[in-house]
Amino acid sequence: MRAALLLLLVLAGAVPARAQTVVTSAGPDKVSVTLYRDPNRDTQSAINRSYPQGFALITETRTVTIPAGPAVIRFEGVAGNILPESALVSGLPDGVEEKNLDANLLSPRSLFDRALGRRVLVRRTNPATGKGQLLQATLRSSADGAAVLQFGGAYGDLRCSGLPEAIVYDGVPEGLSAKPTLSVKTTAKAERQVTLTLSYLSGGFDWQADYVIAMRKDGQSADLFAWITLASTDITSFVNADTQVVAGRINRVANSNYGPRNFASASYLPLQCWPLPEYDLYTRERFAARGGPPPPPPPPAPVAPAMDIIVTGNRVAAGMMAEAKMAIAEELGDLKLYRFPTRVTVASQSQKQVGLMNKPGVKLAPVYVSDIVRENTQTALLLRGKNNAANGLGAAMPAGKAAVFSDVGGQMLLVGESAIDDKAVDEVVEFRMGRPQSVSAQVVGTRRRPDDRTTAYALTVTNDQPWPVTYEAKIHLYDYEKMARSSSRLGRKDGASLWTTVVPANGIATLSYAVRDDRKR
Amino acid sequence: MRGLAVSVLLLVPGVALAQTAPQPSAQGDVSVTIYNNDLALIQDTRRLALANGVNRQEFPDVSDRIRPETVRLSVDGASIVEQNFDYDLLSPSALIQKAVGQTITLVRTNPATGAETRERAKVLATNGGVVLQIGNNIEVLRDDGLPVRVVYDSLPPNLRARPTLSISLDASGGGTRPATLSYLTTGLGWNADYVALFDEAKSTIDVQGWVTLRNDNNVAFTNADTMLVAGAPGQGRGGNAGMAPGTLPGTENARRARLGDFYLYPVGHRITIAPNQQKQVSFLSVGGVPARKLYQYRNDWYGSSSDPVSAATVLSFSSSKDGGLGDALPAGTVRVYIRDAKGQPQFIGENRIDHTPMGSTLAIRTGEAFDVKVKPAVEKREKINSGEWERTEKFRISIDGGKPTTVEREDEVTYWRTTMSYTVTNARPEPVTVDLVQAGLDRSYWHATRVSSESIKGEQRSLDERLWHVTVPANGSTVLTVAFDTRY
């Protein structure tokens, strides 16, 4: 057996000479990875660590020696989720004639299909004696009708007998490769060593910002730290890579005709037998009844859960974050680019975090906000601050999640989770913390007569905390409604009437207002 | 295991284990014309050796996704009798179905000893199980689960390994002659991929255009004369994606061959299209084309937003001969790159364009601006009297056949006035101009809208859309206020 295997291996390596020289570049000398966030993932959703939907631009520097005359340069070790039409090769002195992605993969199906009409060996093992027997056969069916074989003057099938049988091929057909392979064609005037730059987009990456907000004892300011969290599921690890992330929303095109092909199902070789209802073998009838070929093999098992994204309160308290090296921000057109301070390894199937910003003493004030439509109210607690230098911020804040901690008896405990969209400098940043327990708002409407055009409303806000709180009510009116009067002066915000007040400690605040319906009767 | 290896070499001493060389293709001189809608025309000139009279010719190595009803064969001195496309594939289940009523050989293997015994059996039926007659007994094949091998004496004639095209020809004389087989097939398609490197400081772009063609067939087209048609026959796939809004398509003639009203993009040299291959060939490379960056924002309805919305970043350039790319652009994807602080190109977004005539102005929306945002808000909505009166009713009244009197009623025209504000903010260190569009002005019964006041002079682009160029200072904001009057 060992001898036979050895023989096959030797034969597999013997690739016949082609008209043009094939130069193989095994891997990059230097690589740079720029990650982009999934443009369709909202800020609330976490990175899908099994199937990240963001992408990356990979830029590789490779050194190859190209011969004079026509040559094909094959690039190995590119990302597995490469988008081949995005590939760019620069640095070839005589240009690129064509770029190819060959996806004719070596698989049970392609081996079988290429052997049609050829001689193969069929190995039968006697189940009683364990003795192997090799028979010469000729394949007579293609992979779509597998498998009918000719043994001398007789014809038969494969494995329908219930006996162990296998096809042994005499070599690897030309043109089948282990992985989809990117190659370029060029014709150089003279042999020379060149340094090429290969860049391409690849799926299977994602990143986001993760904000850690530690509220200070005054309740009006916080220490804000942010991580860049990135994830990769690509089969290729990018070792010692210059790493960048790009913040901002990028437009992507859905490739209807040119999406990644399902290589797994195209590699599957179904063996068919005659109708055999009681036995678990594929038959043509059962195939049709199930509406198609058997499903492709299951996707690789999801990655074991990696480190939790939330950084624990103890680490916040330990002051570790102040020591983290921060990414360097730069402008990239209308986007923001963050360059990692040192080269890192963007490893396969892993998640990595690097410091994004560290802003101690940020003014971030809690505000309770209600949205009111007639008698319906929805109240939330926000942490609000303006993104400027005076407030201790003043840097672009990429979209991401936030975890808010508060000091309770010397321990930092999680008090809420939130998320923000991309926030530019001078924008108001609001971390929405969800429904509050201690402040609630209630609206009751009354009409003097049932058909009265005017409705009087009373808004009552209660606070059970031993300190006063800032409160805002946004009163939304229908197009045909008009604010007739109110007990306090109302402002405008986001197309709604705005009431701002302070609810006293363990107290109540009230507003009465009236709305007139202007519709024709 | 070692024993097996020995028996391998002993049992088949004559088998030559060798690298599998490719089988020569039966194709002749091939030309491939690929359309955009997963459609291609294959023309394959082969040499046929025909005898005088009726000949049956098989055509192997046609594409596996051939549309057989589109096959056409042109050959001198022969007429077509019939054309067949056989797709009854050879498989174990097809074999046994065709063996109904015939006799096969069963080889039973004793699981304890491995001894083989042979017997003849007649296949009676294959409905949900193979019913066999062995001597005078009737049984179902492998009903006991024990190993039984079925051996056939021959293969039925109509079963084939692959779908096969065969044509019967009536030749008026013997001899070898060229014959051109042409057919349509799916599984071949193409589009364009553009790479645009934008230099913001110089306001220029360098553009490379690649045609990307893909073969999902298992058949190679070797040394094929390849032609790409920018069009999808039979499908109205025309569109204006990528065209700048408010501009007309270009009217310049690109120096390329045409087919009907489609442009042809020849590949330039013969290429080999391998099975399951995606291939890219360059067709355009221009540098230093003027381009500018725009910011666009569009509000589709009179609505408020509680969070500011980023304006779109748009790259605008021309496909004209003068100051543009100078070519008709086949449909595809434009990917835009910009150099970072270290000079390395970084991707900043992509978008699709449709077939674009030469001389057009393009506007490619690449993404959203981080620092330029718009926050629309409905400030006020009120009912107003215009001071205009219109006749709403007119009656002619005649009492008991007397002289008719005319009564008219006039009502004051009332409008609903919606006052919108658009707060445009800019966190960039330079001033920007945002092309702000309010749409939805002519939707259903809302039409007859007029703009009664606006803080910046706008331009009415169509009945439905009004456009303002809002200039915002560096690190500042500008508020545009507009009042729209509608009748209802």
Side-chain angles (χ1 to χ4, degrees):
Chain A
M1 190 61 199
R2 197 168 299 156
L5 264 180
L6 198 67
L7 203 55
L8 280 175
L9 285 175
V10 169
L11 291 164
V15 179
R18 297 191 192 187
Q20 63 252 47
T21 322
V22 177
V23 183
T24 299
S25 164
D29 310 332
K30 222 175 80 186
V31 65
S32 153
V33 181
T34 307
L35 288 97
Y36 297 80
R37 188 189 162 105
D38 172 9
N40 299 317
R41 180 165 60 91
D42 63 43
T43 54
Q44 300 285 341
S45 315
I47 293 177
N48 183 341
R49 258 181 279 166
S50 307
Y51 299 99
Q53 298 294 303
F55 57 103
L57 173 72
I58 319 276
T59 310
E60 301 177 351
T61 311
R62 291 171 179 249
T63 309
V64 289
T65 305
I66 47 170
V72 170
I73 306 168
R74 283 165 59 96
F75 296 103
E76 289 184 350
V78 298
N81 294 311
I82 179 171
L83 188 71
E85 57 266 39
S86 70
L88 288 171
V89 177
S90 59
L92 277 175
D94 300 291
V96 174
E97 276 165 38
E98 51 182 64
K99 289 186 276 187
N100 292 307
L101 181 85
D102 287 297
N104 234 8
L105 301 186
L106 180 59
S107 68
R109 186 188 175 91
S110 62
L111 269 178
F112 188 94
D113 223 41
R114 293 295 190 89
L116 173 63
R118 288 170 179 271
R119 272 194 318 191
V120 293
L121 298 176
V122 171
R123 188 179 63 232
R124 287 193 182 142
T125 305
N126 189 317
T129 63
K131 262 197 185 143
Q133 182 191 12
L134 278 178
L135 296 159
Q136 282 195 38
T138 308
L139 278 189
R140 299 304 298 264
S141 70
S142 66
D144 288 326
V148 175
L149 300 124
Q150 180 176 2
F151 301 92
Y155 301 87
D157 46 55
L158 192 72
R159 293 230 291 266
C160 294
S161 64
L163 288 170
E165 282 180 319
I167 299 176
V168 180
Y169 301 94
D170 64 357
V172 177
E174 198 195 338
L176 296 183
S177 53
K179 281 190 277 186
T181 306
L182 182 76
S183 64
V184 297
K185 252 187 184 176
T186 187
T187 304
K189 292 187 187 81
E191 179 181 312
R192 62 197 289 188
Q193 195 182 52
V194 291
T195 303
L196 303 179
T197 306
L198 168 68
S199 78
Y200 53 90
L201 296 175
S202 171
F205 297 85
D206 206 350
W207 82 277
Q208 69 181 26
D210 275 296
Y211 296 90
V212 181
I213 298 165
M215 291 305 292
R216 289 192 172 177
K217 279 211 162 64
D218 62 5
Q220 301 291 311
S221 63
D223 297 326
L224 185 147
F225 184 89
W227 292 105
I228 292 168
T229 305
L230 55 88
S232 162
T233 51
D234 204 86
I235 50 163
T236 305
S237 288
F238 298 93
V239 181
N240 246 342
D242 288 319
T243 307
Q244 295 86 228
V245 296
V246 169
R249 192 164 292 194
I250 271 189
N251 196 58
R252 290 301 312 270
V253 171
N255 284 337
S256 53
N257 295 333
Y258 291 87
R261 282 172 276 187
N262 192 341
F263 295 119
S265 70
S267 305
Y268 190 80
L269 176 66
L271 287 181
Q272 303 173 4
C273 282
W274 56 77
L276 195 67
E278 283 177 57
Y279 309 107
D280 196 18
L281 285 165
Y282 287 121
T283 68
R284 183 175 254 209
E285 281 72 16
R286 285 167 65 201
F287 241 66
R290 285 196 318 203
V303 207
M307 163 178 106
D308 201 2
I309 293 175
I310 298 160
V311 177
T312 61
N314 284 337
R315 280 179 66 182
V316 176
M320 261 189 74
M321 296 184 162
E323 291 161 21
K325 269 193 180 172
M326 296 295 134
I328 301 142
E330 82 184 48
E331 302 282 321
L332 181 72
D334 284 301
L335 307 167
K336 307 287 174 191
L337 183 134
Y338 297 92
R339 202 180 284 282
F340 282 26
T342 50
R343 284 188 181 166
V344 297
T345 294
V346 181
S348 168
Q349 309 276 13
S350 81
Q351 180 172 307
K352 180 181 285 298
Q353 288 190 299
V354 168
L356 171 65
M357 62 170 82
N358 187 15
K359 302 277 180 187
V362 174
K363 267 187 214 156
L364 212 52
V367 186
Y368 292 85
V369 178
S370 297
D371 282 285
I372 297 171
V373 181
R374 296 207 172 145
E375 289 185 314
N376 302 311
T377 62
Q378 209 169 33
T379 308
L381 166 61
L382 309 180
L383 291 178
R384 180 186 288 166
K386 200 161 187 201
N387 184 5
N388 61 19
N391 277 345
L393 272 167
M397 297 174 73
K401 292 196 149 198
V404 181
F405 297 87
S406 194
D407 189 334
V408 180
Q411 261 205 315
M412 297 303 275
L413 298 182
L414 181 71
V415 291
E417 284 192 273
S418 181
I420 55 163
D421 216 334
D422 289 334
K423 292 292 170 190
V425 172
D426 281 339
E427 254 191 89
V428 173
V429 181
E430 288 177 344
F431 294 98
R432 186 171 275 261
M433 307 287 290
R435 231 177 142 141
Q437 306 281 322
S438 52
V439 173
S440 82
Q442 210 178 53
V443 177
V444 177
T446 46
R447 277 186 207 120
R448 268 178 300 181
R449 292 191 316 275
D451 63 343
D452 204 341
R453 279 177 180 273
T454 304
T455 311
Y457 291 100
L459 163 63
T460 311
V461 190
T462 59
N463 173 24
D464 75 356
Q465 295 168 109
W467 51 76
V469 298
T470 309
Y471 175 83
E472 274 181 20
K474 281 204 276 184
I475 303 162
H476 301 268
L477 301 184
Y478 285 88
D479 279 352
Y480 47 81
E481 288 177 336
K482 206 169 183 172
M483 186 62 76
R485 57 174 190 273
S486 62
S487 61
S488 298
R489 235 183 91 83
L490 300 184
R492 292 287 298 173
K493 191 180 183 184
D494 308 336
S497 298
L498 177 75
W499 177 49
T500 310
T501 191
V502 173
V503 187
N506 298 105
I508 287 175
T510 56
L511 173 77
S512 57
Y513 57 96
V515 174
R516 200 180 66 235
D517 185 336
D518 267 348
R519 277 178 292 188
K520 270 188 186 163
R521 292 283 165 101
Chain B
M1 274 325 232
R2 186 150 297 163
L4 177 65
V6 172
S7 71
V8 164
L9 299 173
L10 287 181
L11 270 168
V12 278
V15 177
L17 292 169
Q19 164 72 31
T20 312
Q23 264 174 327
S25 169
Q27 289 171 3
D29 185 11
V30 181
S31 75
V32 180
T33 307
I34 307 175
Y35 300 86
N36 283 134
N37 50 339
D38 188 26
L39 186 69
L41 171 69
I42 313 288
Q43 285 163 294
D44 181 355
T45 305
R46 306 182 179 197
R47 293 195 67 77
L48 294 186
L50 297 177
N52 195 16
V54 175
N55 294 256
R56 189 169 174 281
Q57 285 284 334
E58 286 204 353
F59 292 86
D61 288 321
V62 296
S63 110
D64 36 316
R65 301 200 190 180
I66 182 172
R67 283 167 54 181
E69 70 279 10
T70 63
V71 170
R72 211 160 53 88
L73 182 75
S74 49
V75 52
D76 286 338
S79 58
I80 295 168
V81 180
E82 63 171 348
Q83 205 168 283
N84 294 297
F85 188 67
D86 298 314
Y87 47 88
D88 201 356
L89 288 188
L90 191 57
S91 70
S93 62
L95 262 183
I96 201 122
Q97 277 168 18
K98 303 276 178 193
V100 170
Q102 292 175 15
T103 305
I104 56 171
T105 305
L106 300 181
V107 183
R108 299 186 191 274
T109 306
N110 185 323
T113 63
E116 291 187 347
T117 49
R118 292 177 163 254
E119 56 190 345
R120 299 285 282 174
K122 191 178 174 192
V123 183
L124 297 181
T126 62
N127 305 314
V130 182
V131 183
L132 302 168
Q133 181 181 1
I134 302 165
N136 288 326
N137 300 331
I138 307 293
E139 59 178 79
V140 175
L141 180 59
R142 288 203 61 208
D143 209 15
D144 51 8
L146 291 176
V148 180
R149 215 166 61 236
V150 178
V151 179
Y152 306 86
D153 303 332
S154 64
L155 293 182
N158 290 327
L159 293 178
R160 295 171 186 283
R162 297 188 198 282
T164 306
L165 178 72
S166 66
I167 299 177
S168 293
L169 294 162
D170 189 358
S172 57
T176 302
R177 65 202 83 186
T180 301
L181 180 74
S182 76
Y183 56 90
L184 295 177
T185 182
T186 62
L188 277 165
W190 78 283
N191 64 4
D193 281 288
Y194 302 89
V195 180
L197 182 62
F198 179 46
D199 187 330
E200 201 170 351
K202 288 191 199 148
S203 283
T204 58
I205 44 169
D206 301 338
V207 178
Q208 280 179 30
W210 295 85
V211 295
T212 306
L213 62 94
R214 175 161 152 184
N215 181 15
D216 283 335
N217 284 289
N218 277 316
V219 171
F221 299 96
T222 307
N223 209 13
D225 186 6
T226 307
M227 194 82 94
L228 306 168
V229 179
Q235 288 182 9
R237 220 183 105 177
N240 57 1
M243 214 87 88
T247 64
L248 290 171
T251 54
E252 296 172 24
N253 183 42
R255 291 184 174 278
R256 290 193 181 275
R258 286 176 186 264
L259 168 75
D261 74 338
F262 304 136
Y263 273 112
L264 286 178
Y265 291 81
V267 170
H269 53 278
R270 283 175 174 259
I271 56 172
T272 293
I273 307 168
N276 297 307
Q277 188 185 52
Q278 179 165 312
K279 184 183 235 28
Q280 286 192 298
V281 182
S282 170
F283 79 97
L284 177 77
S285 182
V286 277
V289 172
R292 62 201 184 98
K293 191 177 75 178
L294 309 171
Y295 295 100
Q296 287 178 351
Y297 171 81
R298 182 186 162 97
N299 201 29
D300 279 322
W301 191 239
Y302 304 126
S304 298
S305 169
S306 57
D307 285 312
V309 180
S310 279
T313 302
V314 174
L315 184 65
S316 183
F317 53 91
S318 161
S319 65
S320 176
K321 192 167 163 253
D322 300 315
L325 302 182
D327 205 342
L329 305 177
T333 304
V334 182
R335 295 191 180 81
V336 183
Y337 294 76
I338 200 166
R339 288 190 192 277
D340 66 14
K342 286 191 172 174
Q344 184 182 318
Q346 298 284 2
F347 179 65
I348 61 158
E350 64 183 8
N351 217 327
R352 208 179 74 78
I353 61 167
D354 281 315
H355 296 305
T356 306
M358 191 161 125
S360 305
T361 304
L362 288 97
I364 311 291
R365 182 183 168 278
T366 59
E368 293 177 5
F370 198 105
D371 285 334
V372 181
K373 297 196 179 188
V374 182
K375 187 171 172 178
V378 180
E379 290 299 327
K380 248 190 296 190
R381 199 166 145 75
E382 58 200 336
K383 193 170 164 184
I384 53 159
N385 296 327
S386 62
E388 299 164 19
W389 294 77
E390 66 178 10
R391 191 165 66 205
T392 49
E393 284 166 297
K394 187 175 180 180
F395 307 95
R396 281 164 73 88
I397 302 167
S398 164
I399 300 165
D400 296 335
K403 189 171 174 274
T405 53
T406 304
V407 177
E408 287 187 0
R409 189 182 138 196
E410 287 193 332
D411 281 336
E412 190 175 10
V413 177
T414 57
Y415 284 96
W416 284 96
R417 173 166 295 168
T418 307
T419 307
M420 294 286 301
S421 76
Y422 309 88
T423 308
V424 188
T425 53
N426 173 22
R428 294 179 65 77
E430 73 270 345
V432 298
T433 300
V434 177
D435 294 342
L436 194 151
V437 168
Q438 174 68 55
L441 307 185
D442 190 45
R443 209 159 285 173
S444 63
Y445 57 83
W446 289 83
H447 66 85
T449 301
R450 63 180 191 186
V451 173
S452 52
S453 73
E454 54 190 356
S455 62
I456 296 167
K457 182 81 192 120
E459 48 189 88
Q460 197 72 26
R461 203 149 69 180
S462 65
L463 281 177
D464 195 58
E465 290 183 355
R466 194 170 175 87
L467 166 73
W468 297 267
H469 299 289
V470 182
T471 306
V472 193
N475 299 109
S477 68
T478 301
V479 180
L480 164 70
T481 313
V482 188
F484 301 93
D485 294 354
T486 49
R487 279 306 307 277
Y488 301 102

